[in-house]
Amino acid sequence: MKPAERRDDFGFVLAFDPGYLRMATALVRALVHFHPGHRIRVYTMDEHVEALTAWARPFREVEVVPYRPAHALSFGEWHPLVWAKLEAFAAEDSACEVVLDVDQILYRSLSGCVGEALDAGKILSASPDITDLRGHLLPSFNGGEGLDALAGVPCFNAGAMIVRPSREAYRELIGMARAHHADVRLPEQAILNLWARQAGGHHDLGEALMLGPWSPRLLEPVVPSCLVHFWTPRPPFFGPSPLRSSEPAWEECLRDFARETGQGYPLERFERDFLRRLQGDLAEGSARHA
């Protein structure tokens, strides 16, 4: 672990283009509220640096960085910027990096999860995903273990990770990505999970860090996780949602949630919480209960 005095020395890594500005604004305002002064590094495509730099002017914590290797690896139905998450492993100027997808609502400080991750001693800490490792891979994958051996192997979700930077891990990840990027379905998440399996695992933060959008625990009076991750299909208030061949429609997900829990989805609650963050309406007294 890095020296104890550096436990509060962490930054954030985001990656997005101007099409994600609505949800990114809401997340960045929440990050600034709960973690004022912590650096927020935003990776984007070369052609979008000027636009995002203009957007970032009100946020002194935000640094916009071009991600030039974006098209060097396959990204399937996702965005080429998904690979920018790997850059967090190379940032050895801080004790750890918190890597976040922008389609999330932040409910409380992440400091507790960061402290747990540092104490655990693993390079990577995250929350569970709903797909096993086999589900991340295409039939063409040939990585030593047979595909059948990877069925049922649990994975973490790469949309919220706490990373203890390591140049060695970074080199290993880049090498693995170059070797297998064309043989995975969920690009960076597959490579990160394959690497963690090979490198001795990761620390499981359970539901303390992140909950997915269809967890029945979202019906509890107080959201039990720091983050709720609204991966696609996203609720309409987040903005346009990309259509992917492997995913159901939003309305179908709502029906499934109602059938499985016996209750309607708390959409109005999350829309209210999202809009408060988008508008910067997180007063100190109310933020703990949002």
Side-chain angles (χ1 to χ4, degrees), residues 7-8 24 54 66 77 84 89-90 109 124 126 140 149 164 167 169 173 183 199 204 206 215 223 231 282 287:
R7 290 177 68 86
D8 196 47
E77 293 184 276
F89 291 80
S109 167
L124 192 156
S140 58
R164 297 172 67 238
R167 283 280 179 178
L173 280 162
D183 304 310
D204 183 5
S215 170
V223 173
W231 55 67
L282 277 172

Side-chain angles (χ1 to χ4, degrees), residues 86-114:
L86 303 187
E87 298 303 308
F89 291 80
E92 290 186 319
D93 56 339
S94 65
C96 73
E97 297 287 294
V98 181
V99 184
L100 298 174
D101 287 349
V102 296
D103 52 352
Q104 308 192 64
I105 298 178
L106 177 64
Y107 278 91
R108 58 185 59 85
S109 167
L110 291 155
S111 294
C113 286
V114 169

Side-chain angles (χ1 to χ4, degrees), residues 16-208:
F16 58 91
D17 67 23
Y20 292 77
L21 278 181
R22 178 178 171 87
M23 58 188 86
T25 299
L27 179 61
V28 167
R29 283 184 170 151
L31 289 173
V32 169
H33 173 79
F34 288 110
H35 298 284
H38 285 248
R39 187 257 306 141
I40 303 171
R41 182 169 292 144
V42 173
Y43 288 97
T44 194
M45 311 295 282
D46 244 337
E47 62 267 29
H48 297 139
V49 168
E50 184 176 354
L52 262 60
T53 299
W55 161 82
R57 286 192 184 111
F59 306 111
R60 63 183 178 85
E61 292 88 348
V62 173
E63 170 194 7
V64 177
V65 180
Y67 184 63
R68 297 193 169 99
H71 289 284
L73 301 168
S74 303
F75 49 90
E77 293 184 276
W78 278 259
H79 195 290
L81 284 169
V82 296
W83 294 111
K85 295 177 186 179
L86 303 187
E87 298 303 308
F89 291 80
E92 290 186 319
D93 56 339
S94 65
C96 73
E97 297 287 294
V98 181
V99 184
L100 298 174
D101 287 349
V102 296
D103 52 352
Q104 308 192 64
I105 298 178
L106 177 64
Y107 278 91
R108 58 185 59 85
S109 167
L110 291 155
S111 294
C113 286
V114 169
E116 179 180 338
L118 288 173
D119 288 341
K122 297 284 188 180
I123 289 176
L124 192 156
S125 300
S127 291
D129 192 56
I130 59 173
T131 306
D132 67 7
L133 189 50
R134 173 65 183 89
H136 287 67
L137 308 174
L138 297 174
S140 58
F141 177 79
N142 181 13
E145 293 182 89
L147 288 175
D148 290 343
L150 302 177
V153 174
C155 289
F156 58 83
N157 188 283
M161 301 183 294
I162 298 172
V163 172
R164 297 172 67 238
S166 160
R167 283 280 179 178
E168 181 180 359
Y170 178 70
R171 287 191 292 269
E172 292 171 355
L173 280 162
I174 293 297
M176 187 172 284
R178 287 172 177 162
H180 298 299
H181 66 98
D183 304 310
V184 296
R185 189 178 70 85
L186 297 167
E188 86 296 359
Q189 185 160 296
I191 295 301
L192 284 159
N193 275 278
L194 286 166
W195 172 83
R197 181 170 170 81
Q198 176 180 293
H202 70 286
H203 177 62
D204 183 5
L205 287 165
E207 296 177 339

Side-chain angles (χ1 to χ4, degrees), residues 29 275-283:
R29 283 184 170 151
L275 291 176
R276 286 182 57 201
R277 286 150 180 78
L278 181 63
Q279 296 158 7
D281 181 22
L282 277 172

Side-chain angles (χ1 to χ4, degrees), residues 225-252:
S225 297
C226 293
L227 294 151
V228 178
H229 187 182
F230 292 89
W231 55 67
T232 52
R234 301 186 190 101
F237 57 79
F238 265 91
S241 197
L243 296 175
R244 298 186 178 121
S245 59
S246 58
E247 295 174 342
W250 170 252
E251 293 75 15
E252 182 181 347

